């Protein structure tokens, strides 16, 4: 009978899901756990950079729903990584559905600042529509094919009813502002257009209470702290895995062989795969031998995985209000409520309609959000081209032809060969079944000694916290628990659950 000390476990990927799985397994007494990571660092889509003296999060920036139920919030608090304000009971109690009540400024493409009070009805209408998607998750047959269809048609309808007493210019401006918000929404779902998002699928996502907060010292501080809990040599860096050979049926051979890109072959009893869905979509055919079963593969194809990028822009001095937290750029020819541009090469920059003001930055830094094919195109530009376009954008909206960004930094998640995009979304036709298929271990039915050869964790395997850090973290723990329970069920007398053996910190 296997003893935990002998069990060989390989984890593919050193993002938050892989690290969380390793922590749990090591603490439960498994001594042969290793992580193979393609790149030279841990953290994956948690990655902190600097722009001048300011923190710039290349990947995740917010703890979504920082409150008691959120395990990420718990860890961040334990490690002392949060501002006291972020951890306050008032902040934890705020139920805002991940839509922080940020103080907005609006600028128009005619080069004028718009009166925030006058634009407020657009924000109100938009938030109301988002709230109204929630009950639609329970209807049997939705009259709208997608979240985008719902938002656009309802926005037009309600706007016509309630804004009819306003003058036509104001009405049109409000509709244009709704376009800016819809483009911003594409970033939250990492999608090209909200018309790609399944309305019922959208409602699978659960938000937690709490006012979204950031890590003042950078998100990567969390990863650094977690790594200190693990033996120093547990992660092998620059070790891409090429193929997972499973279902080895010869006796006295481990069930799985992991083949690295450098040719090394590592025998394992269990492998936890945490590679991003974007990578899996591209590489599944060479990554598994035998191939993934058809129903799992079908879900890999069906679930969406898209791009959301950020463009950090630093200015000599702010041209927005003191206390402003978000800037909407309102194009005055977008009253039809649009979230995609017609000519990507020429006008991709229109997609970048919302800028958040970085808190605690000693410079004056904005973070522009851009999603979809426009974001993918942005990645291909040279620094010069990007600077030229971004400078033009701010000159247009401020009406100040001398305004010049001091520094610019962009993310390029679509071109990242180990991620191939940003995070997953419920594409049209997706259901809870697809996320279930994603997390189902291989083989799907087998005798116990052959069970749990390949397990799956990562952001895109969580049934309702997909696309988040806390979701990814929970999936790593879930798969570790699956193995812990497996061994507890038939060798609990030999190996006490609480054994902590190789903690070397
Ligand atoms: C721009 C952006 C903004 C975001 N903002 C937020 C936010 O504010 N809040 C939030 O909660 N979430 C946010 N997210 C999502 C969050 O970052 C992810 O959901 C989470 O970090 C994913 O963790 P993971 O372990 O599933 O995957 P990853 O962190 O991607 O880890 C997977 C690892 O596998 C490695 N790998 C890939 N292929 C191989 C291979 N063949 N062999 C070996 N290793 C391989 C990769 O290099 C990577 O290190 C954001 C993501 C992006 C991109
Ligand atoms: C993943 O797929 C891409 C595109 O097919 C290919 O170029 C790359 O070599 C694959 N990666 C690995 C590690 O096999
Ligand atoms: C696993 O191996 C067994 C025995 O050789 C075989 O019958 C079965 O079809 C294999 N499963 C897969 C998914 O290839």
């Amino acid at each position: 009978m296997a003893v935990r000390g002998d069990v060989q476990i390989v984890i593919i990927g050193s993002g938050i899901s892989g690290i969380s799985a390793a922590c749990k397994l090591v603490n439960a007494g498994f001594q042969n756990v290793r992580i193979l990571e393609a790149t030279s660092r841990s953290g994956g889509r948690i990655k902190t950079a600097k722009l001048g003296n300011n923190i710039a999060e290349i990947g995740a920036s917010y703890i979504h729903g920082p409150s008691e139920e959120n395990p990420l919030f718990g860890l961040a608090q334990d490690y002392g990584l949060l501002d006291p304000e972020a951890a306050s009971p008032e902040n934890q109690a705020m139920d805002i559905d991940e839509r922080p009540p940020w103080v907005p400024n609006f600028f128009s493409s005619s080069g004028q600042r718009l009166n925030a009070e006058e634009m407020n009805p657009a924000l109100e209408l938009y938030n109301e529509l988002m709230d109204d998607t929630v009950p639609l998750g329970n209807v049997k047959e939705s009259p709208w094919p997608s979240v985008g269809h719902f938002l656009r048609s309802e926005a037009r309808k309600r706007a016509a009813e309630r804004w009819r007493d306003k003058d036509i210019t104001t009405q049109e401006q409000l509709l244009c502002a709704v376009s800016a918000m819809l483009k911003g929404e594409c970033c939250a779902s990492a999608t090209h257009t909200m018309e790609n998002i399944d309305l019922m699928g959208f409602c699978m996502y659960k938000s937690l209470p709490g006012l979204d907060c950031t890590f003042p010292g950078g998100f990567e501080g969390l990863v650094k702290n977690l790594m200190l809990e693990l033996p120093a040599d547990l992660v092998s860096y620059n070790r891409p895995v090429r193929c997972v050979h499973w279902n080895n049926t010869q006796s006295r051979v481990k069930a799985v062989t992991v083949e690295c890109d450098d040719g090394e072959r590592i025998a394992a009893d269990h492998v936890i795969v945490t590679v991003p869905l974007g990578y899996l979509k591209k590489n599944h055919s060479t990554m598994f031998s035998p191939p993934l079963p058809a129903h799992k593969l079908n879900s890999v194809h069906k679930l969406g995985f898209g791009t959301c990028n950020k463009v950090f822009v630093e200015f000599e001095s702010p041209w927005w209000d003191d206390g402003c937290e978000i800037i909407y750029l309102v194009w005055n020819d977008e009253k039809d409520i649009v979230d995609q541009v017609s000519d990507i090469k020429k006008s991709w920059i229109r997609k970048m309609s919302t800028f958040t003001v970085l808190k605690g930055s000693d410079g004056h830094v904005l973070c522009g959000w851009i999603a979809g094919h426009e974001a993918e195109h942005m990645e291909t530009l040279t620094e010069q081209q990007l600077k030229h376009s971004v400078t033009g954008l701010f000159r247009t909206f401020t009406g100040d032809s001398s305004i010049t960004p001091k520094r610019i930094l962009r993310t390029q998640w679509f071109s990242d060969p180990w991620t191939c995009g940003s995070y997953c979304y419920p594409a049209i036709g997706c259901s809870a079944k697809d996320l279930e298929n994603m997390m189902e271990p291989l083989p799907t039915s087998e005798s116990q000694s052959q069970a749990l050869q390949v397990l799956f964790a990562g952001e895109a395997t969580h049934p309702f916290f997909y696309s988040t850090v806390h979701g990814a973290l929970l999936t790593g723990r879930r798969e570790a628990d699956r193995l812990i329970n497996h061994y507890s069920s038939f060798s609990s007398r030999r190996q006490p659950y609480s054994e902590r053996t190789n903690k070397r910190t």
Side-chain angles (χ1 to χ4, degrees), residues 240-243 261 279 282-287 417-418 420:
V241 168
R242 188 193 298 161
C243 185
D261 221 27
Y279 181 85
K282 224 182 196 166
N283 292 73
H284 67 83
S285 64
T286 47
M287 199 173 183
W418 310 109
C420 316

Side-chain angles (χ1 to χ4, degrees), residues 16 19 41-43 45-49 55-57 60-61 63 72 75-82 214-229 469:
I16 192 73
I19 296 167
R41 57 178 284 279
S42 282
R45 282 170 274 173
I46 296 172
K47 187 176 187 180
T48 305
I55 296 273
E57 299 289 3
S61 40
I63 301 183
L72 171 64
L75 278 179
Q77 263 185 318
D78 291 348
Y79 291 134
L81 300 174
L82 301 180
T214 57
F215 290 75
F219 217 129
E220 236 181 277
L222 176 89
V223 175
K224 301 241 152 76
N225 274 282
L226 282 171
M227 295 308 288
L228 292 174
E229 313 241 344
V469 172

